[in-house]
Amino acid sequence: MTIDQLLVYFFGACAMLGGVLMLVARHPMRVALALISCMLSLAGIYAMLGVHVVAVFQVLIYVGAVMVFMVYVIMLLDVRDPSFVRRYSRMLLPGVVLGALLAGALGVSAVRLGAPAIQPGASAAPSYLVQPFSVEFLREYWLHFELTSVLLVAAVVAAIAIIRTGRRSDG
Amino acid sequence: MADTQLLLGLSFVLFALGLVGVMVRRNALVMLMCMELMLNAVILALVTFSLETATLSGAVLVFLIFVVAAAEIAIAIPIVLQLSRQRSSLDVEGYDRLQG
Amino acid sequence: MKLLTVIVLLPLAGFLLNGLLGRRLGRTFVSIVGCGLPILAFLATLKAVLLLQAAGPDAALLEVAYRWASFGDQGFDVAFYFDRLTAVMTLIITGVGSLIHVYSTGYMKDDPGYARYFAYLNLFLFFMLTLVLGRSLLVCFVGWEGVGLASYLLIGFWFEDPAKAAAGKKAFITNRVGDAGFLLGLFLLYWALGTVNMDEINAAFAAPVAPAVSASLVGVLLFIGATGKSAQIPLHVWLPDAMAGPTPVSALIHAATMVTAGVYLVARLHGIYEHAPEASQVVAVIGVLTAFFAATIALVQTDIKKVLAYSTVSQLGLMFLALGVGAYGVAVFHVYTHAFFKACLFLGAGSVIHALGGEQDIRKMGGLWRRIPLTFGTFAVATAAIAGIPPLAGFFSKDEILWFALASQHGGSAALWVLGSAASLLTSFYMFRLLWLTFLTPSRMSHDTEHHVHESPFSMTGVLIVLAALSAIGGFFELPHFLEPLLPIPAVAGSLEHYEHTFVFVAVAVALLGLAAATFMYRRGLARGEALAARFPRLHRILGGKYYIDELYEAVLYRPLHWVSDRVFLGLGDRLLIDGSLHGLAALTRRASGRLSRVQTGQLQWYVAMAVIGVVGCLVWVWRHG
């Protein structure tokens, strides 16, 4: 058992802990922090696995952009909101049971279907370092890359539209 | 590679945790964050498969999921803001006007 | 030029013009179109007759208008066939039809439905011409149904009156019963012979190898169709009610033309009946019974049109008697003379009704001969003609019918002659009764009515004069002889060969006896007739109730059918089964959706839970089938 493997286990445990904390934490800010720690642990796992690109994006986009945004919004909102005080909905018990059921079902599926087969003819393991990955990515998948910009533009327009309709219904 | 099983299991557990969070928490923002957790679980699974099959496409899908997550959050946050302004609460149990 | 097609299509054009444009373009236009096109058709028919005469005695003109349907190497053509029989029928239809159109311009002058009336009348002519000119039974059937439709429309012409609308329905529905027989006969013929062309059917039955179908069965089936159209027992009930229509319609459709369609059909298909003695026997017996019983009913009727209606039924019975004993030409001869004098009688009755402002009860008439002399004169001639007084038209045809009923070797018998002569005696009696009570006895009219009596306009009286003249001289045209190349005259039993003239005298004596009896009874008015009725109250009631045939049908057919329709088909089938199943389905859906809609709580997290259940279900399914 190498140090790498140990680190993977460690980060995995951290991620799981973060997930559980998300469920039990009362205040949204704590939930957000738990999520951030979970994400960072996952980033650590990716780094350990050598998938540097994903690790970098995980930190930059998720933690750096999405979660910062989220934390900012949490700070904006009223802390005395009843939903901040009472954590759980009526679905607590059925929700937990169903979640366990789903996890079990997924696990059984994975065991039953076995590991995905290695594609024949696949050359040596591709590099997930930033530079070779980026070159390969833009050569093979440049169209998808460009199409994502369309998605983002649509998201921006939608966000603006939501804000405006909110204003109109207010006024 | 035992790691594969382990990572997949971790992915499933995280996904289930996120899902339970969506189902049991009252706060809309917390539900959103739980959804992020589910997306992260999916990313973990994709990375694992990508390594296992030694192909790039898994990582490419991860990239697309990042984009989707960014777009999602860009729309979801304004919606949450509007909700909190109009109903003065983020309790999803209060949002039940559409019912049969 | 397709002359026959033109004859058929001219009235159709009139129907379309009057039906579509008549209301807009006014009465003059309607009159010109409505009368002009039938007259043109009559002229075209005359031309066709001339062509036919030039071609020889048993020639025929044949015209294929177009191919209706084709399958394999076979097909149905809409073809028109014109031989001497058709010629006579077409001349009657277009000739008498045109006259009645002209008469109608006077009779219907003030009716708001003037254009509609002429449109229907032209439509009737179109279908009637299709019926007689059609070469195939199928085309004939189209006309057959079409005249039924036109008859329905015209009987119920004043449809605001429910009784008149009901009379139209009764005529139509009664005819359907007969049509079923017609259709079955048609199918049977097509199945056996592979053709529905009437000349080919006749030829097939005349061939040395008999066709593989019972001529009697076909004959009886087609005769059932004829009983419906020609108002023979047991389907005669519609014709008296059909008098609800305008009087010229009664004259044209329910006396002169349409009701003789059955006679035409049997005469046209005489090839079948010549080889079907049983069917011929049925035709003769039904015919003579109808003639006799209708005549007895006519004795006690008090409505002027009803008397004429039963007289029509009776005369049609005599025609079928002639057909049944193989004297097809004689039957057509009677169709021809009957068309003149019955049309004249009906139109005269119309003129009387017109003069009295709608009064139809002969008990409230009398003394009209001074006031409307032209109508009286023509009516008297036609009455004498139908009674069989020589030398008027009816005498010739009726005398020949009775002679063949006795002497024909094709089923003639003394019983038929006795019943036929009795019917003839009764005819003479009730017709002169009608004449006395309407015109000659002292007036029984109310003062008010009497004041308004006036002679009809020339458009009506002129037609009456023409028809009376034809009734007087029509009999001198030896029609059976003219038709002999087509419709053979049956051989006469040897023992009777030399007695023909004796029976002529007997027939004349019978007619004069009827005249004398009617004169004795009704010369002074109603008193003697009523005394006689009081002597035999039960008989009088039965006759007045028309033997209660309508009531019998109502009890035996209508009530059970109504019960079955109401309880079983409506109550059980429609309401319970069909409505019930649909309503039940709807209620089930509504209740189920009511239950299911509770699933949609509006709770976001409940939806997520359901989605998770679905996902787990999918996974389990994948384990099973993956």
Side-chain angles (χ1 to χ4, degrees):
Chain A
M1 184 172 281
T2 62
I3 187 81
D4 283 10
Q5 260 180 322
L6 269 178
L7 276 174
V8 167
Y9 293 153
F10 171 71
F11 283 131
C14 282
M16 227 188 300
L17 184 68
V20 172
L21 278 177
M22 280 179 73
L23 290 189
V24 296
R26 186 183 299 272
H27 197 280
M29 187 60 89
R30 296 198 180 164
V31 178
L33 289 177
L35 181 57
I36 287 170
S37 67
C38 178
M39 284 173 172
L40 287 175
S41 315
L42 285 175
I45 293 179
Y46 299 148
M48 285 295 107
L49 291 174
V51 192
H52 295 270
V53 191
V54 179
V56 166
F57 277 140
Q58 178 89 359
V59 174
L60 283 182
I61 295 181
Y62 260 125
V63 182
V66 173
M67 288 322 293
V68 167
F69 192 23
M70 194 73 90
V71 168
Y72 183 64
V73 170
I74 292 168
M75 291 193 297
L76 259 181
L77 293 177
D78 188 359
V79 190
R80 287 163 298 176
D81 193 291
S83 67
F84 285 38
V85 184
R86 289 174 55 214
R87 277 177 289 186
Y88 299 121
S89 68
R90 280 170 292 186
M91 295 291 294
L92 177 58
L93 191 64
V96 171
V97 170
L98 276 174
L101 200 65
L102 181 72
L106 283 171
V108 173
S109 303
V111 172
R112 280 200 164 214
L113 300 175
I118 294 172
Q119 284 187 350
S123 54
S127 168
Y128 292 101
L129 294 172
V130 177
Q131 194 206 10
F133 178 83
S134 305
V135 170
E136 188 71 7
F137 180 69
L138 281 181
R139 182 183 299 136
E140 284 282 322
Y141 298 100
W142 58 271
L143 183 64
H144 307 73
F145 179 75
E146 293 300 332
L147 283 180
T148 56
S149 59
V150 177
L151 183 67
L152 286 173
V153 168
V156 169
V157 171
I160 292 173
I162 289 165
I163 297 294
R164 298 193 110 196
T165 51
R167 281 220 188 104
R168 202 174 304 143
S169 63
D170 276 357
Chain B
M1 184 155 104
D3 273 355
T4 307
Q5 298 289 339
L6 185 82
L7 290 172
L8 268 185
L10 178 63
S11 156
F12 292 161
V13 170
L14 287 179
F15 188 84
L17 282 173
L19 196 68
V20 171
V22 170
M23 273 190 283
V24 304
R25 297 299 298 247
R26 289 170 157 270
N27 190 306
L29 267 177
V30 175
M31 284 170 72
L32 270 181
M33 285 189 276
C34 290
M35 280 188 247
E36 296 299 326
L37 181 63
M38 287 162 78
L39 280 176
N40 268 294
V42 171
I43 289 171
L44 178 58
L46 282 172
V47 168
T48 313
F49 287 135
S50 178
L51 285 172
E52 183 77 359
T53 58
T55 48
L56 255 183
S57 41
V60 172
L61 263 179
V62 168
F63 176 77
L64 293 179
I65 288 176
F66 280 139
V67 176
V68 168
E72 179 216 332
I73 216 72
I75 297 172
I77 292 297
I79 290 176
V80 168
L81 282 176
Q82 293 296 340
L83 281 176
S84 75
R85 206 186 301 167
Q86 287 186 2
R87 310 294 304 267
S88 65
S89 163
L90 283 177
D91 188 353
V92 286
E93 288 201 338
Y95 307 149
D96 59 353
R97 287 202 354 223
L98 267 179
Q99 53 181 291
Chain C
M1 192 173 96
K2 297 212 164 188
L3 190 60
L4 302 179
T5 317
V6 168
I7 295 174
V8 174
L9 288 185
L10 275 171
L12 182 65
F15 164 65
L16 292 174
L17 281 173
N18 273 343
L20 297 175
L21 305 174
R23 268 167 166 268
R24 305 244 177 87
L25 297 180
R27 292 184 178 231
T28 321
F29 171 81
V30 171
S31 310
I32 290 171
V33 168
C35 300
L37 293 176
I39 291 170
L40 278 181
F42 179 65
L43 296 178
T45 311
L46 281 180
K47 186 164 180 237
V49 171
L50 288 181
L51 283 175
L52 186 70
Q53 282 304 93
D58 55 355
L61 307 180
L62 181 61
E63 239 179 60
V64 179
Y66 71 98
R67 174 146 277 221
W68 188 355
S70 60
F71 37 89
D73 52 350
Q74 282 187 314
F76 293 123
D77 288 325
V78 175
F80 298 117
Y81 186 82
F82 194 83
D83 61 5
R84 286 188 165 184
L85 174 58
T86 321
V88 172
M89 292 301 292
T90 314
L91 281 176
I92 294 172
I93 292 161
T94 52
V96 177
S98 302
L99 286 173
I100 290 173
H101 276 74
V102 172
Y103 177 93
S104 297
T105 57
Y107 189 83
M108 299 296 286
K109 199 163 66 191
D110 301 322
D111 198 277
Y114 194 71
R116 184 163 60 95
Y117 174 82
F118 275 95
Y120 288 167
L121 220 52
N122 281 342
L123 180 70
F124 167 75
L125 277 190
F126 162 67
F127 279 123
M128 193 68 206
L129 289 169
T130 314
L131 197 165
V132 297
L133 280 165
R135 183 193 184 199
S136 99
L137 267 179
L138 215 54
V139 176
C140 178
F141 186 71
V142 170
W144 187 271
E145 291 298 307
V147 292
L149 168 70
S151 158
Y152 163 77
L153 291 172
L154 283 164
I155 294 170
F157 181 73
W158 290 308
F159 53 82
E160 295 92 343
D161 182 350
K164 292 178 174 171
K169 273 192 277 183
K170 184 173 178 182
F172 200 75
I173 292 167
T174 312
N175 266 304
R176 308 296 322 162
V177 180
D179 293 342
F182 188 121
L183 271 180
L184 287 177
L186 179 89
F187 295 156
L188 204 57
L189 278 173
Y190 187 73
W191 171 73
L193 306 177
T195 178
V196 285
N197 290 339
M198 294 193 263
D199 47 339
E200 290 170 8
I201 291 170
N202 280 339
F205 278 94
V209 183
V213 61
S214 156
S216 286
L217 180 59
V218 175
V220 168
L221 284 173
L222 290 174
F223 177 61
I224 289 173
T227 56
K229 197 57 82 191
S230 297
Q232 297 297 293
I233 290 173
L235 299 179
H236 64 285
V237 289
W238 66 269
L239 187 57
D241 287 17
M243 296 303 131
T247 308
V249 169
S250 309
L252 177 62
I253 300 185
H254 307 117
T257 55
M258 183 188 86
V259 290
T260 60
V263 181
Y264 166 76
L265 182 73
V266 175
R268 168 59 77 196
L269 293 173
H270 64 94
I272 298 175
Y273 290 91
E274 273 166 25
H275 297 89
E278 298 89 353
S280 293
Q281 196 75 40
V282 170
V283 173
V285 169
I286 292 282
V288 79
L289 285 179
T290 309
F292 180 74
F293 284 111
T296 57
I297 295 172
L299 291 177
V300 300
Q301 295 298 316
T302 53
D303 182 320
I304 185 169
K305 286 180 74 180
K306 284 273 164 76
V307 175
L308 293 176
Y310 279 104
S311 151
T312 305
V313 175
S314 173
Q315 297 302 309
L316 289 167
L318 285 180
M319 295 172 204
F320 278 100
L321 170 61
L323 293 171
V325 297
Y328 306 104
V330 177
V332 176
F333 187 29
H334 198 54
V335 168
Y336 154 83
T337 56
H338 178 255
F340 296 142
F341 56 68
K342 190 48 71 60
C344 184
L345 286 170
F346 263 113
L347 296 182
S351 178
V352 169
I353 295 166
H354 188 74
L356 297 182
E359 182 57 59
Q360 301 198 5
D361 191 336
I362 52 175
R363 286 172 302 187
K364 296 179 187 158
M365 296 179 186
L368 286 171
W369 68 281
R370 248 183 238 285
R371 311 292 300 276
I372 44 174
L374 270 175
T375 306
F376 166 67
T378 52
F379 200 90
V381 170
T383 305
I386 192 176
I389 310 268
L392 304 171
F395 160 72
F396 293 95
S397 54
K398 216 181 218 179
D399 168 57
E400 287 202 43
I401 288 177
L402 292 175
W403 166 246
F404 282 112
L406 177 67
S408 165
Q409 283 193 326
H410 192 274
S413 75
L416 292 178
W417 181 82
V418 168
L419 269 179
S421 297
S424 182
L425 171 66
L426 293 174
T427 305
S428 168
F429 178 78
Y430 66 71
M431 284 313 299
F432 282 110
R433 164 179 176 262
L434 184 64
L435 190 70
W436 279 107
L437 288 180
T438 309
F439 292 101
L440 295 172
T441 46
S443 168
R444 294 177 301 281
M445 290 179 286
S446 64
H447 183 74
D448 221 26
T449 324
E450 192 156 9
H451 187 67
H452 285 109
V453 172
H454 57 282
E455 182 63 283
S456 305
F458 181 69
S459 59
M460 292 163 72
T461 51
V463 170
L464 287 175
I465 291 166
V466 172
L467 283 171
L470 286 169
S471 313
I473 59 166
F476 292 105
F477 178 50
E478 274 289 338
L479 196 65
H481 192 66
F482 174 73
L483 290 173
E484 204 174 349
L486 296 170
L487 305 173
I489 293 172
V492 169
S495 55
L496 291 165
E497 221 165 296
H498 303 295
Y499 294 99
E500 182 164 4
H501 292 98
T502 320
F503 281 99
V504 172
F505 289 118
V506 173
V508 175
V510 162
L512 291 175
L513 183 63
L515 166 61
T519 311
F520 172 73
M521 291 284 294
Y522 294 105
R523 191 167 37 127
R524 298 271 161 68
L526 288 166
R528 281 184 179 166
E530 277 168 359
L532 191 66
R535 282 278 293 283
F536 303 99
R538 189 172 295 171
L539 183 64
H540 187 260
R541 210 171 329 126
I542 290 179
L543 292 181
K546 304 149 195 169
Y547 295 102
Y548 300 110
I549 301 276
D550 278 329
E551 285 75 7
L552 180 74
Y553 285 172
E554 176 162 334
V556 176
L557 296 175
Y558 171 78
R559 290 254 175 81
L561 272 178
H562 188 266
W563 187 88
V564 167
S565 313
D566 188 47
R567 293 291 161 79
V568 179
F569 292 123
L570 183 68
L572 200 72
D574 209 61
R575 296 238 168 93
L576 205 74
L577 212 69
I578 297 178
D579 284 6
S581 59
L582 286 178
H583 289 168
L585 215 59
L588 187 73
T589 314
R590 193 180 307 140
R591 210 168 299 160
S593 58
R595 293 273 158 79
L596 277 177
S597 72
R598 286 196 210 153
V599 170
Q600 193 151 13
T601 54
Q603 291 294 328
L604 202 58
Q605 288 159 329
W606 168 240
Y607 299 160
V608 176
M610 284 197 296
V612 173
I613 293 172
V615 169
V616 173
C618 287
L619 283 173
V620 173
W621 194 84
V622 168
W623 301 344
R624 291 225 165 167
H625 300 89

